[in-house]
Amino acid sequence: AKSRVVKHGLQGVLDFVGCNANVDLERLLTVADANGKLEMVTIQFPDPHFKARHAKRRVVTPELVLTLAKFMPPGATVFLQSDIKSVLDDMRFQFRLESSLFQDNVQDEEEYLAENFFPVPTEREVSVLEKNLPVYRTAFTRTTERFFIDDEEPQP
């Protein structure tokens, strides 16, 4: 992915970082001085971790949602998609728990975005669609609600 950023002249505009988001994301965004600069986050086709004992490994946790709220400015987008309805519903639920910070762009939780709004689908998405299987999607917008951490000063 990083080589494609260079190939298309997108240095300084687009970047990819591989990490365990539930362990390293806040630290990486702090080091990168990304406060208020994170315009879009996509979480696409995460490992489902069906077993209850592996639930802690799911990508979207309450802590992840709060970390994103801390670094995303109002109007920023979180795009979620999965080929497993329960996985998308669980991710969506985590963001909906923080409805003062993120607004679901699809109001009815039984409905999903019909299309990916990115011009290039992921390899997984192509594979799923070629098999005529569904892809479940939604997007959230960061609200103007200020983010507070316990007794700290408000975050923009």
Side-chain angles (χ1 to χ4, degrees):
K2 284 191 168 282
S3 64
R4 286 184 267 168
V5 169
V6 174
K7 178 181 174 183
H8 295 287
L10 296 170
Q11 303 93 317
V13 176
L14 179 66
D15 201 358
F16 297 90
V17 177
C19 73
N20 180 335
N22 289 315
V23 174
D24 300 317
L25 186 61
E26 184 164 10
R27 180 183 55 80
L28 287 172
L29 293 174
T30 300
V31 168
D33 191 29
N35 196 10
K37 299 176 187 172
L38 194 59
E39 293 291 334
M40 177 170 284
V41 171
T42 66
I43 302 172
Q44 303 184 63
F45 304 96
D47 190 329
H49 295 296
F50 290 119
K51 295 179 182 176
R53 70 177 185 260
H54 294 179
K56 64 184 178 212
R57 297 180 184 164
R58 290 184 181 145
V59 174
V60 179
T61 62
E63 296 81 13
L64 179 81
V65 173
L66 294 177
T67 296
L68 294 178
K70 178 178 178 181
F71 289 93
M72 297 182 88
T77 301
V78 176
F79 177 70
L80 309 172
Q81 69 174 345
S82 177
D83 55 329
I84 301 169
K85 184 178 182 291
S86 63
V87 170
L88 189 281
D89 290 345
D90 183 64
M91 293 190 294
R92 179 185 242 175
F93 176 76
Q94 297 301 327
F95 278 93
R96 282 183 168 233
L97 284 175
E98 297 297 340
S99 60
S100 66
L101 300 170
F102 290 96
Q103 180 179 0
D104 195 338
N105 295 350
V106 180
Q107 296 306 312
D108 185 340
E109 62 188 48
E110 295 299 318
E111 293 184 15
Y112 304 89
L113 294 174
E115 300 290 326
N116 181 343
F117 50 75
F118 290 104
V120 180
T122 67
E123 290 175 7
R124 176 70 180 178
E125 185 176 6
V126 169
S127 171
V128 169
L129 294 174
E130 284 176 349
K131 295 174 186 171
N132 291 317
L133 296 171
V135 175
Y136 304 95
R137 306 173 181 93
T138 196
F140 285 82
T141 302
R142 177 68 171 90
T143 67
T144 57
E145 183 74 21
R146 296 183 64 131
F147 180 74
F148 295 88
I149 303 173
D150 299 326
D151 296 328
E152 291 183 10
E153 289 295 314
Q155 302 292 318

Short mmCIF file of all heavy atoms in Angstrom, two decimals, residues 107-130:
data_model
loop_
_atom_site.label_atom_id
_atom_site.label_comp_id
_atom_site.label_asym_id
_atom_site.label_seq_id
_atom_site.Cartn_x
_atom_site.Cartn_y
_atom_site.Cartn_z
N GLN A 107 -29.72 5.85 9.59
CA GLN A 107 -30.45 5.95 10.86
C GLN A 107 -31.02 4.63 11.33
O GLN A 107 -30.97 4.31 12.51
CB GLN A 107 -31.56 7.00 10.74
CG GLN A 107 -31.03 8.40 10.49
CD GLN A 107 -30.00 8.84 11.52
OE1 GLN A 107 -30.20 8.69 12.71
NE2 GLN A 107 -28.88 9.37 11.05
N ASP A 108 -31.60 3.84 10.42
CA ASP A 108 -32.22 2.58 10.80
C ASP A 108 -31.13 1.52 10.93
O ASP A 108 -30.44 1.21 9.96
CB ASP A 108 -33.24 2.17 9.73
CG ASP A 108 -34.01 0.92 10.11
OD1 ASP A 108 -33.55 0.14 10.97
OD2 ASP A 108 -35.09 0.71 9.52
N GLU A 109 -30.99 0.94 12.11
CA GLU A 109 -29.91 -0.02 12.33
C GLU A 109 -30.12 -1.33 11.59
O GLU A 109 -29.24 -2.19 11.58
CB GLU A 109 -29.68 -0.27 13.82
CG GLU A 109 -30.85 -0.85 14.54
CD GLU A 109 -30.63 -0.89 16.05
OE1 GLU A 109 -30.21 0.13 16.63
OE2 GLU A 109 -30.86 -1.96 16.62
N GLU A 110 -31.26 -1.50 10.95
CA GLU A 110 -31.50 -2.69 10.12
C GLU A 110 -31.19 -2.42 8.65
O GLU A 110 -31.36 -3.30 7.82
CB GLU A 110 -32.95 -3.16 10.28
CG GLU A 110 -33.28 -3.65 11.68
CD GLU A 110 -32.43 -4.85 12.10
OE1 GLU A 110 -32.21 -5.76 11.28
OE2 GLU A 110 -31.96 -4.86 13.26
N GLU A 111 -30.74 -1.20 8.35
CA GLU A 111 -30.39 -0.85 6.97
C GLU A 111 -28.90 -0.59 6.88
O GLU A 111 -28.24 -0.30 7.87
CB GLU A 111 -31.17 0.39 6.53
CG GLU A 111 -32.66 0.14 6.41
CD GLU A 111 -33.41 1.34 5.88
OE1 GLU A 111 -32.79 2.27 5.33
OE2 GLU A 111 -34.64 1.36 6.03
N TYR A 112 -28.38 -0.69 5.65
CA TYR A 112 -26.95 -0.56 5.40
C TYR A 112 -26.73 0.25 4.14
O TYR A 112 -27.62 0.36 3.30
CB TYR A 112 -26.33 -1.96 5.26
CG TYR A 112 -26.61 -2.83 6.46
CD1 TYR A 112 -27.75 -3.62 6.52
CD2 TYR A 112 -25.77 -2.80 7.56
CE1 TYR A 112 -28.04 -4.39 7.64
CE2 TYR A 112 -26.05 -3.55 8.69
CZ TYR A 112 -27.18 -4.34 8.72
OH TYR A 112 -27.47 -5.07 9.83
N LEU A 113 -25.54 0.80 4.00
CA LEU A 113 -25.19 1.49 2.76
C LEU A 113 -25.12 0.46 1.64
O LEU A 113 -24.52 -0.61 1.81
CB LEU A 113 -23.84 2.20 2.90
CG LEU A 113 -23.76 3.35 3.88
CD1 LEU A 113 -22.31 3.85 4.00
CD2 LEU A 113 -24.67 4.49 3.45
N ALA A 114 -25.70 0.79 0.50
CA ALA A 114 -25.73 -0.15 -0.62
C ALA A 114 -24.37 -0.25 -1.31
O ALA A 114 -24.02 -1.30 -1.84
CB ALA A 114 -26.80 0.27 -1.63
N GLU A 115 -23.62 0.84 -1.30
CA GLU A 115 -22.37 0.88 -2.06
C GLU A 115 -21.23 1.36 -1.19
O GLU A 115 -21.41 2.13 -0.26
CB GLU A 115 -22.52 1.85 -3.25
CG GLU A 115 -23.61 1.47 -4.24
CD GLU A 115 -23.28 0.23 -5.04
OE1 GLU A 115 -22.08 0.02 -5.33
OE2 GLU A 115 -24.20 -0.53 -5.36
N ASN A 116 -20.05 0.95 -1.56
CA ASN A 116 -18.81 1.48 -0.99
C ASN A 116 -18.56 2.81 -1.67
O ASN A 116 -18.58 2.90 -2.89
CB ASN A 116 -17.67 0.50 -1.28
CG ASN A 116 -16.35 0.94 -0.69
OD1 ASN A 116 -16.16 2.09 -0.32
ND2 ASN A 116 -15.42 0.02 -0.64
N PHE A 117 -18.33 3.88 -0.92
CA PHE A 117 -18.13 5.17 -1.56
C PHE A 117 -16.69 5.41 -1.97
O PHE A 117 -16.35 6.48 -2.47
CB PHE A 117 -18.69 6.34 -0.74
CG PHE A 117 -18.29 6.39 0.71
CD1 PHE A 117 -17.03 6.78 1.11
CD2 PHE A 117 -19.21 6.06 1.69
CE1 PHE A 117 -16.69 6.84 2.44
CE2 PHE A 117 -18.88 6.13 3.03
CZ PHE A 117 -17.60 6.51 3.40
N PHE A 118 -15.83 4.41 -1.82
CA PHE A 118 -14.47 4.49 -2.32
C PHE A 118 -14.43 3.96 -3.75
O PHE A 118 -15.11 2.98 -4.06
CB PHE A 118 -13.51 3.67 -1.45
CG PHE A 118 -13.28 4.27 -0.10
CD1 PHE A 118 -13.88 3.73 1.02
CD2 PHE A 118 -12.47 5.38 0.05
CE1 PHE A 118 -13.69 4.29 2.26
CE2 PHE A 118 -12.29 5.95 1.29
CZ PHE A 118 -12.89 5.40 2.39
N PRO A 119 -13.65 4.56 -4.61
CA PRO A 119 -13.63 4.12 -6.01
C PRO A 119 -12.93 2.77 -6.22
O PRO A 119 -13.16 2.13 -7.24
CB PRO A 119 -12.86 5.23 -6.73
CG PRO A 119 -12.05 5.90 -5.67
CD PRO A 119 -12.83 5.75 -4.39
N VAL A 120 -12.12 2.33 -5.27
CA VAL A 120 -11.40 1.06 -5.43
C VAL A 120 -11.78 0.14 -4.27
O VAL A 120 -11.50 0.44 -3.12
CB VAL A 120 -9.87 1.29 -5.44
CG1 VAL A 120 -9.14 -0.02 -5.61
CG2 VAL A 120 -9.48 2.28 -6.53
N PRO A 121 -12.43 -1.00 -4.58
CA PRO A 121 -12.81 -1.93 -3.52
C PRO A 121 -11.60 -2.70 -2.99
O PRO A 121 -10.60 -2.84 -3.68
CB PRO A 121 -13.80 -2.86 -4.22
CG PRO A 121 -13.38 -2.83 -5.65
CD PRO A 121 -12.85 -1.44 -5.90
N THR A 122 -11.74 -3.24 -1.78
CA THR A 122 -10.69 -4.10 -1.24
C THR A 122 -10.74 -5.45 -1.95
O THR A 122 -11.74 -5.80 -2.59
CB THR A 122 -10.89 -4.34 0.27
OG1 THR A 122 -12.06 -5.13 0.45
CG2 THR A 122 -11.00 -3.04 1.04
N GLU A 123 -9.66 -6.22 -1.84
CA GLU A 123 -9.64 -7.54 -2.45
C GLU A 123 -10.73 -8.42 -1.85
O GLU A 123 -11.37 -9.20 -2.57
CB GLU A 123 -8.27 -8.19 -2.26
CG GLU A 123 -7.18 -7.52 -3.07
CD GLU A 123 -5.79 -8.08 -2.79
OE1 GLU A 123 -5.67 -9.08 -2.05
OE2 GLU A 123 -4.83 -7.50 -3.32
N ARG A 124 -10.93 -8.31 -0.55
CA ARG A 124 -11.98 -9.11 0.10
C ARG A 124 -13.35 -8.73 -0.45
O ARG A 124 -14.19 -9.59 -0.73
CB ARG A 124 -11.93 -8.90 1.62
CG ARG A 124 -13.01 -9.60 2.37
CD ARG A 124 -12.83 -11.09 2.38
NE ARG A 124 -13.92 -11.74 3.12
CZ ARG A 124 -14.03 -13.02 3.26
NH1 ARG A 124 -13.14 -13.82 2.75
NH2 ARG A 124 -15.04 -13.52 3.94
N GLU A 125 -13.59 -7.45 -0.61
CA GLU A 125 -14.88 -6.98 -1.13
C GLU A 125 -15.13 -7.53 -2.53
O GLU A 125 -16.22 -8.01 -2.84
CB GLU A 125 -14.89 -5.45 -1.14
CG GLU A 125 -16.19 -4.84 -1.54
CD GLU A 125 -16.17 -3.32 -1.42
OE1 GLU A 125 -15.10 -2.74 -1.13
OE2 GLU A 125 -17.23 -2.72 -1.63
N VAL A 126 -14.12 -7.48 -3.39
CA VAL A 126 -14.25 -8.01 -4.75
C VAL A 126 -14.59 -9.50 -4.69
O VAL A 126 -15.52 -9.96 -5.38
CB VAL A 126 -12.95 -7.78 -5.57
CG1 VAL A 126 -12.98 -8.55 -6.88
CG2 VAL A 126 -12.75 -6.30 -5.82
N SER A 127 -13.88 -10.24 -3.85
CA SER A 127 -14.11 -11.68 -3.73
C SER A 127 -15.54 -11.98 -3.28
O SER A 127 -16.21 -12.86 -3.84
CB SER A 127 -13.10 -12.26 -2.74
OG SER A 127 -13.41 -13.60 -2.44
N VAL A 128 -16.01 -11.26 -2.28
CA VAL A 128 -17.36 -11.48 -1.75
C VAL A 128 -18.41 -11.14 -2.80
O VAL A 128 -19.36 -11.92 -3.02
CB VAL A 128 -17.56 -10.66 -0.46
CG1 VAL A 128 -19.02 -10.65 -0.03
CG2 VAL A 128 -16.68 -11.19 0.65
N LEU A 129 -18.26 -10.02 -3.46
CA LEU A 129 -19.24 -9.60 -4.46
C LEU A 129 -19.26 -10.52 -5.67
O LEU A 129 -20.32 -10.75 -6.26
CB LEU A 129 -19.00 -8.14 -4.87
CG LEU A 129 -19.23 -7.12 -3.75
CD1 LEU A 129 -18.83 -5.73 -4.21
CD2 LEU A 129 -20.67 -7.15 -3.26
N GLU A 130 -18.08 -11.06 -6.05
CA GLU A 130 -18.04 -12.01 -7.17
C GLU A 130 -18.82 -13.28 -6.87
O GLU A 130 -19.29 -13.95 -7.77
CB GLU A 130 -16.59 -12.36 -7.52
CG GLU A 130 -15.89 -11.26 -8.28
CD GLU A 130 -14.42 -11.56 -8.56
OE1 GLU A 130 -13.87 -12.54 -7.99
OE2 GLU A 130 -13.82 -10.81 -9.35
#
